[in-house]
């Protein structure tokens, strides 16, 4: 997709944003894309709160409740982030103040809520100045942000409990309920789709035609231009027509906000030549499209001490202009879509004897997780919130089950007919059990498990179920059936399926990166080309002990892959 949310990687592809157009421009574009919220994946969520049947802790009046929100960090630290106002004399308060939080799909964002009864003597003090230890607790609750946004109405009701109960109490006391409602914050879901072309571009190369691409930037009040979109690069073309680009109205400000469209000639040394540019708003570009007339490019030139614009014969045309509503990832979740988690584990002999401490499959009696366990737990911990029944297909490959031949796709739970296990704990137990019930063998083949996952996704698609599947493959070696794997992946790219691959151990995984389209063109098989990128590959050692966890590295692209699938097939959420 040659647009602002392209899932194509590499230096020749379109991306959704760029940095200043100097030096190594294409790499800067990729960095800019990763740092800004232009896909709509990183969403701002506004949380509102209400409670019912709170405990009455006041003698002569009802409680005066205030809610305090905390976030639990990855290291276990608890940080206060928000306080509501105090609602006077109410056991069923609806607080007016809202809390806004950035939603990160790839992270479990644990929220803690604590309701306090503010003592009457403190009611004239600003809430941020109140000392919480001087207020009475009415109860507390916790949940993950994912639990809220995956509810059909984005509302979650939690039981309020007391941290300390009386030892003599034989039954739980009533503390009321807290309801948390989430709304996605956005200025506009409206997106402008444009197909741009140029005519009679001037050649910047001595012995060949130019290799043009466009960069679209918005102008801010200070006069600085901020890149928001870049087209793909077209080779040897003086009359290029680029693939459609998509600009969110919020992204550029408004339809009347000024935009600068610059046409560059690509140079491999990173010093790209400016061919010409125009300055127009989206409203202007819409008029250019309806008028069917092009706009001349110009070049700023220095005349004495003044800068003048040299009008060129080259022209920019708007071949297509339309406005559409772009639904977000959270819209699909609210409409009932689920992410179904699947896992496949490498049991080849190169992992080492599981009974020895130097094996990648060694189960440490101290409870310390090996790389396989860590990847299963961290990825599953995030994805489990998006799967209603929490029953996950789990397979092994590259081993010989008891009294059987080597299998490249066997049910991890030992069943001949049923591949699912219950919850992340079920995967962990099945994995541990399998280590003592199979003989490690080889070689490392991915094709079988990918085809198995693709079959499940295909059946779900035929049933018109609102499901998208995520297969986690954990392996210690380079895939042996590379061509068969490519064929399976290209075929699966037309299905509601993404594949996460974690490489554990010290092997050289360079060949594995071929499967991940982040590093170049889309994957090709013996029969065709992948319709989209569905693979994310991460060597475990690259993120171990770093600031970015294995799950963040693996799942960062998943919402984009999900949206690419839905939008390319015009599947809309049921909201």
């Amino acid at each position: 997709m040659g647009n602002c949310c392209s899932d194509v990687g590499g230096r020749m592809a379109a991306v959704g944003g760029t940095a200043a157009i100097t030096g190594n421009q294409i790499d800067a574009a990729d960095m800019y894309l990763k740092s800004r919220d232009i896909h709509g994946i990183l969403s701002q969520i506004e949380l509102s709160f209400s409670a019912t049947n709170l405990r009455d802790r006041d003698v002569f009046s009802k409680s005066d409740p205030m809610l305090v929100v905390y976030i639990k960090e990855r290291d276990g630290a608890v940080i206060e982030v928000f306080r509501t106002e105090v609602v006077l004399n109410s056991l069923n308060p609806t607080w007016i103040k809202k809390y806004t939080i950035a939603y990160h799909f790839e992270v479990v964002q644990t929220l803690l809520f604590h309701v306090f009864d503010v003592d009457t003597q403190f009611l004239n003090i600003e809430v941020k100045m109140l000392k919480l230890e001087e207020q009475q607790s009415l109860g507390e609750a916790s949940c993950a942000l994912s639990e809220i946004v995956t509810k059909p109405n984005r509302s979650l009701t939690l039981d309020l409990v007391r941290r300390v109960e009386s030892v003599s109490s034989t039954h739980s006391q009533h503390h009321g309920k807290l309801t948390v409602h989430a709304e996605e914050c956005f200025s506009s879901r409206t997106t402008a789709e444009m197909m741009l072309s140029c005519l009679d571009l001037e050649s910047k190369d001595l012995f060949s035609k130019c290799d043009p691409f466009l960069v679209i930037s918005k102008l801010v009040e200070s006069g600085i231009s901020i890149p928001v979109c870049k087209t793909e690069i077209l080779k040897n073309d003086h009359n290029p027509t680029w693939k459609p680009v998509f600009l969110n109205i919020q992204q550029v400000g408004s339809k009347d906000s000024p935009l600068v469209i610059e046409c560059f000639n690509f140079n491999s040394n990173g010093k790209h030549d400016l061919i010409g540019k125009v300055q127009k708003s989206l409203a202007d570009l819409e008029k250019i499209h309806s008028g069917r007339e092009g706009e001349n490019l110009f070049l700023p030139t220095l005349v004495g001490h003044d800068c003048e614009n040299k009008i060129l014969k080259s022209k920019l045309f708007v071949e297509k202009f339309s406005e559409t509503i772009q639904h977000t990832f959270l819209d699909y979740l609210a409409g009932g879509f689920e992410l179904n988690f699947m896992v496949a584990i490498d049991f080849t002999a190169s992992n080492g004897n599981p009974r020895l401490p130097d094996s990648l499959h060694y189960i440490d009696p101290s409870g310390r997780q090996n790389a396989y366990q860590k990847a299963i737990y961290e990825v599953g911990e995030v994805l489990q919130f998006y799967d209603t029944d929490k029953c996950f297909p789990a397979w092994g490959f590259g081993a010989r089950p008891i009294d059987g031949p080597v299998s490249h796709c066997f049910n991890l739970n030992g069943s001949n007919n049923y591949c699912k296990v219950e919850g992340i704990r079920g995967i962990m137990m099945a994995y541990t059990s399998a280590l003592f019930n199979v003989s490690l063998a080889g070689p490392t083949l991915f094709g079988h498990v990918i085809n198995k996952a693709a079959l499940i996704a295909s059946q779900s698609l035929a049933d018109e179920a609102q499901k998208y599947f995520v297969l986690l493959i954990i392996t210690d070696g380079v895939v042996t059936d590379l061509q068969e794997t490519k064929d399976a992946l290209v075929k699966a790219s037309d299905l509601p399926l993404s594949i996460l691959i974690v490489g554990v151990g010290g092997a050289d995984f360079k060949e594995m990166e071929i499967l991940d389209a982040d590093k170049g063109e889309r994957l090709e098989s013996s029969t065709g080309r992948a319709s989209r990128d569905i693979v994310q590959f991460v060597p475990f050692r690259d993120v171990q002990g770093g600031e970015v966890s294995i799950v963040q590295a693996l799942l960062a692209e998943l919402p984009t892959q999900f949206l690419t699938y839905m939008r390319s097939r015009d599947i809309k959420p049921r909201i």
Side-chain angles (χ1 to χ4, degrees), residues 417-447:
N417 305 311
Y418 193 68
C419 66
K420 291 186 177 182
V421 298
E422 292 187 14
I424 306 306
R425 185 170 179 269
I427 300 176
M428 292 293 210
M429 292 175 63
Y431 163 62
T432 303
S433 176
L435 286 173
F436 297 97
N437 289 289
V438 301
S439 299
L440 275 58
T444 304
L445 307 181
F446 283 2

Side-chain angles (χ1 to χ4, degrees), residues 342-471:
M342 304 183 281
V343 64
I345 299 173
D346 183 342
F347 284 88
T348 55
S350 54
N351 283 280
N353 187 341
R355 292 168 177 78
L356 300 178
D358 60 351
S359 169
L360 293 169
H361 280 309
Y362 180 66
I363 305 298
D364 195 325
S366 71
R368 182 181 179 182
Q369 294 180 338
N370 64 36
Y372 283 90
Q373 291 173 309
K374 192 172 182 64
I376 293 169
Y377 179 77
E378 289 196 6
V379 176
E381 186 186 31
V382 172
L383 293 180
Q384 65 179 337
F385 294 110
Y386 303 90
D387 192 321
T388 301
D389 66 7
K390 294 179 173 54
C391 288
F392 310 124
W395 304 290
F397 60 92
R400 182 180 291 106
I402 296 176
D403 300 326
V406 174
S407 173
H408 300 292
C409 184
F410 58 88
N411 296 334
L412 205 61
N413 58 12
S415 168
N416 291 325
N417 305 311
Y418 193 68
C419 66
K420 291 186 177 182
V421 298
E422 292 187 14
I424 306 306
R425 185 170 179 269
I427 300 176
M428 292 293 210
M429 292 175 63
Y431 163 62
T432 303
S433 176
L435 286 173
F436 297 97
N437 289 289
V438 301
S439 299
L440 275 58
T444 304
L445 307 181
F446 283 2
H448 294 71
V449 293
I450 293 173
N451 286 329
K452 186 74 172 180
L455 178 61
I456 294 175
S458 180
Q459 291 172 341
S460 175
L461 185 62
D463 295 337
E464 298 184 351
Q466 293 195 94
K467 294 180 182 294
Y468 189 92
F469 296 86
V470 183
L471 170 63

